[in-house]
Amino acid sequence: MNPSDFVRALRAAAPYVHAHVGSVFVLAFGGEICERADFERLLYDIALLQSLGVKPVIVHGARPQIEARLAVRGLQSRHQGNQRVTDAATLECVKDAAGSLRMSIEAKLSTSLASTPMGGSRIKVAGGNWIIAKPAGVRGGVDLQSTGEVRRVDAETIRQVLDQGRIALVSNIGYSPTGETFNLRYEDVATAVASALKADKLVFLVDSNPDSWTLAEDTGDAGQLSLAEGAKLAEDATHLSDRDRAHLSAALAAGHGGVRRVHLIGAAE
């Protein structure tokens, strides 16, 4: 890029930078994204957003990492509908996978070598027991055991972390007031966190191609949907995978929960 092109690019980006300074972005992705060869680039981009004044919250899942640990231990993965049955042995795999992935993300965000895109940066990351959970209970006659649902989000503490200039890191783990640990769907965690924070944006990075979905063909603004249009799509979305339907449902729930804009972005974009 020659100097004049570089200057034009900066000028074009400046309005967006000014518009989002101080904004809260919840950035959510599953464990599949964490296994991609270009995952570090995503984290570098998140660090760049923070350097431009955005307040990022990262929410990650760990499904493939959990499956890998179950396989190593010779355990069978069990599901009821689209939810995992989390018995005691599975819960240990869940905690191992989520904890390991969390440390990997923290390590990558700590990179500050001059030879990297984060050269000279001092990114601070914080996590905590911010997700209060409850048992999901019995579904279809099956006890989901330590699979849980979000009961409440400690939004005040997360806001304090963001105001301190830190990136908030949230996993698919929740805790009950009695000290129990629950395995949660990261999509539900992301929606609950974004809604509790009244986030400016919730961004799902999905391991598929939303551009291939039949979206807003009749709206005059292809690729963008109102909540009403999104609800209609969800009713007719038999061609979508279970995971894509889960992301769409989470996006709708976040919109109804007060999140200003929700983005579904394909990992290849």
Side-chain angles (χ1 to χ4, degrees):
M1 179 182 292
N2 63 50
S4 60
D5 290 339
F6 180 69
V7 171
R8 278 195 293 270
L10 283 178
R11 287 173 176 166
Y16 298 97
V17 174
H18 293 310
H20 295 302
V21 168
S23 296
V24 174
F25 286 12
V26 177
L27 308 160
F29 44 83
E32 299 84 358
I33 303 300
C34 301
E35 293 189 334
R36 289 175 58 97
D38 57 356
F39 179 54
E40 285 189 357
R41 290 174 52 191
L42 169 63
L43 295 181
Y44 293 158
D45 288 345
I46 293 173
L48 176 61
L49 283 175
Q50 194 207 33
S51 73
L52 295 174
V54 171
K55 298 179 177 180
V57 180
I58 296 175
V59 180
H60 69 85
R63 285 188 181 96
Q65 291 81 5
I66 294 169
E67 293 295 335
R69 283 161 173 77
L70 288 171
V72 167
R73 301 186 186 188
L75 300 173
Q76 185 69 36
S77 180
R78 296 172 55 212
H79 290 79
Q80 173 63 24
N82 61 356
Q83 289 186 291
R84 185 185 298 279
V85 178
T86 309
D87 58 22
T90 301
L91 182 60
E92 290 306 309
C93 294
V94 170
K95 292 192 290 186
D96 183 17
S100 178
L101 196 50
R102 171 194 173 83
M103 286 186 286
S104 176
I105 292 172
E106 288 178 341
K108 287 178 171 61
L109 286 172
S110 299
T111 303
S112 60
L113 295 176
S115 58
T116 71
M118 290 167 58
S121 64
R122 290 294 182 269
I123 303 298
K124 297 179 180 178
V125 185
N129 56 342
W130 303 325
I131 309 301
I132 296 85
K134 62 182 179 181
V138 177
R139 302 290 171 87
V142 177
D143 185 356
L144 299 183
Q145 301 185 50
S146 290
T147 295
E149 298 176 343
V150 179
R151 181 194 295 269
R152 181 171 58 84
V153 175
D154 185 359
E156 181 180 353
T157 302
I158 297 176
R159 288 194 193 96
Q160 290 173 0
V161 166
L162 297 175
D163 290 343
Q164 293 167 0
R166 299 172 182 268
I167 293 176
L169 182 57
V170 184
S171 73
N172 58 304
I173 299 290
Y175 307 96
S176 75
T178 56
E180 296 172 285
T181 301
F182 289 102
N183 175 31
L184 309 176
R185 286 160 34 105
Y186 92 91
E187 299 94 337
D188 296 339
V189 175
T191 297
V193 169
S195 299
L197 294 173
K198 294 295 185 286
D200 298 275
K201 288 183 184 291
L202 168 57
V203 180
F204 281 109
L205 190 66
V206 302
D207 195 31
S208 63
N209 181 18
D211 285 344
S212 66
W213 301 358
T214 303
L215 291 173
E217 294 173 347
D218 300 324
T219 67
D221 193 0
Q224 299 191 37
L225 291 170
S226 67
L227 288 174
E229 292 160 348
K232 184 177 185 304
L233 172 65
E235 292 176 0
D236 302 332
T238 55
H239 63 289
L240 295 182
S241 68
D242 289 343
R243 295 296 306 281
D244 287 340
R245 280 197 295 273
H247 285 121
L248 180 57
S249 296
L252 292 170
H256 287 297
V259 180
R260 296 181 184 179
R261 292 183 72 85
V262 185
H263 301 265
L264 300 173
I265 301 175
E269 295 183 18

